[in-house]
Amino acid sequence: MSQENTVADRLLAEARRKTAREQNPVLGKVALIIGIVALVASPISIVGWVGGLAAIGVGIAAVRNPDIAKLAKIAMGLGFAAILVGVFFFTLNIA
């Protein structure tokens, strides 16, 4: 009988890769960067809306990781603020 357990080794390697993916803080940083860019560009109405929605979407995906949940919540707040500023400037241009 062989002492190697290839199925167990494969499952362990997959579990380690999954854990490494879940603990990766890049998604939170990306959400935060998108939120900042959306807020800065939000006086251009459509850019603020699209960027704000993107920041909220990426923030929702990132909030699942408890290590970067704070960054994700900040990014979602920035995205929401970008949408509000975009709506304000859109209304200002119409009026």
Side-chain angles (χ1 to χ4, degrees):
M1 243 180 136
S2 175
Q3 292 293 331
E4 294 181 28
N5 192 352
T6 57
V7 175
D9 291 338
R10 182 179 51 86
L11 291 174
L12 183 61
E14 287 177 12
R16 286 182 179 156
R17 279 193 299 268
K18 182 179 178 187
T19 304
R21 259 194 323 263
E22 290 173 355
Q23 293 179 351
N24 193 355
V26 172
L27 194 58
K29 291 177 184 178
V30 168
L32 190 62
I33 290 169
I34 292 173
I36 292 170
V37 169
L39 189 60
V40 169
S42 62
I44 304 170
S45 304
I46 193 72
V47 176
W49 295 342
V50 172
L53 287 175
I56 290 172
V58 176
I60 288 172
V63 81
R64 295 179 187 159
N65 186 350
D67 296 335
I68 57 172
K70 187 175 180 180
L71 281 178
K73 290 176 183 175
I74 293 170
M76 290 189 304
L78 289 173
F80 184 71
I83 291 172
L84 288 179
V85 172
V87 168
F88 171 76
F89 279 101
F90 180 74
T91 307
L92 187 65
N93 287 334
I94 288 177

